[in-house]
Amino acid sequence: MPENTSTSEDLNNVNPLQIIAIADAAFDLLDKALVAIDELKKNGAVITPEQQLALQAKYESLINRADSQFSGDHWKIDPPPAVQSPVIAPESD
Amino acid sequence: MKHLKILLFAVITAFVTIHTGCASKGDLDPAGVYKGDALAYNADQAITGAYESFDKFVKWEHTHRAALSQWPEIKQAADIVRADARKWIDQAVAVREAYRNFPTPENAKSLQGAIAVLRAALAQAASYYEITGSPKPSS
């Protein structure tokens, strides 16, 4: 049975603790998403006035704070790392 | 690498799914602030959900950038979201506000289109690294 070695080769170049941290964070997000999906299914009957009010408040908050919503450090695009040109020693005569 | 991409794609698509899910007219209690207007409710849910999904994704990439540096397509995907997310959100909000002020059939149709664009942007952001591993040109 052919073995896909590319994944293990790629991962071998990364600190295992970093991989664990990344996977933990991703699974944490996924868990929360799945819980939310379950809640939506359970509450599928009627969206209550309270839930509607909460969504409206969230929407108003978003549009009223539009500038700050996109201003955190994680929203900044870092320039690509500068490429250092090789140092050329002056030719001696 | 492939497993990591699949994991990331699952996370993003899960958020897209829950945050942009649709309510139908019968799902809304008419006593609520939306007064049974499922289109307005869906629009607000899509806009706020899209922002939350984008924010979580770029924050995740920013937090783990060093560990993710050997997969540059992930940062490229996040940078496209950073560059264009505000434009996508602003456009949807503009159409949403037009519908709020003038709930005409024409504005309703425009709002449905704006929601579709937002969902497509979310799906596209996820697909950058799931399919090609390289950024696609933004419109």
Side-chain angles (χ1 to χ4, degrees), chain A residues 61-62 64-72 74-75, chain B residues 51 55 86:
Chain A
S61 173
L62 175 66
N64 289 333
R65 296 189 294 124
D67 289 337
S68 62
Q69 299 277 19
F70 297 93
S71 63
H74 58 290
W75 277 101
Chain B
Y51 170 76
D55 189 62
R86 178 154 193 180

Side-chain angles (χ1 to χ4, degrees), chain A residues 7 10 14 22 25-26 29 37 46-47 49 52-53 55-56 58-60 67 69 74-76 78, chain B residues 1 7 11 15 18 27 29 32-34 41 48 51-52 55 59-60 65 67 70 82 86 96-97 100:
Chain A
T7 300
D10 287 338
V14 181
I22 293 168
L29 291 176
I37 290 170
V46 172
I47 299 168
Q52 295 180 41
L53 196 60
L55 176 62
Q56 187 189 52
K58 190 189 289 187
Y59 172 77
E60 298 290 344
D67 289 337
Q69 299 277 19
H74 58 290
W75 277 101
K76 292 176 185 163
D78 294 332
Chain B
M1 178 64 178
L7 180 62
V11 170
F15 274 103
I18 63 165
D27 294 336
D29 187 329
V33 290
Y34 290 93
Y41 180 88
T48 56
Y51 170 76
E52 288 176 359
D55 189 62
K59 188 176 285 182
W60 181 86
R65 183 169 298 167
Q70 75 173 52
R82 291 184 177 101
R86 178 154 193 180
R96 167 68 178 104
E97 291 304 301
R100 185 208 296 264

Side-chain angles (χ1 to χ4, degrees), chain B residues 1-78:
Chain B
M1 178 64 178
K2 187 179 177 185
H3 294 168
L4 183 63
K5 284 181 178 178
I6 292 170
L7 180 62
L8 292 173
F9 184 69
V11 170
I12 295 294
T13 49
F15 274 103
V16 171
T17 302
I18 63 165
H19 288 308
T20 61
C22 284
S24 60
K25 191 171 183 178
D27 294 336
L28 285 176
D29 187 329
V33 290
Y34 290 93
K35 297 179 171 57
D37 188 343
L39 177 58
Y41 180 88
N42 285 333
D44 291 2
Q45 192 177 45
I47 291 167
T48 56
Y51 170 76
E52 288 176 359
S53 296
F54 290 142
D55 189 62
K56 286 182 194 301
F57 175 53
V58 298
K59 188 176 285 182
W60 181 86
E61 185 278 331
H62 183 261
T63 302
H64 299 287
R65 183 169 298 167
L68 296 169
S69 61
Q70 75 173 52
W71 302 296
E73 63 268 29
I74 295 176
K75 183 177 184 303
Q76 288 170 347

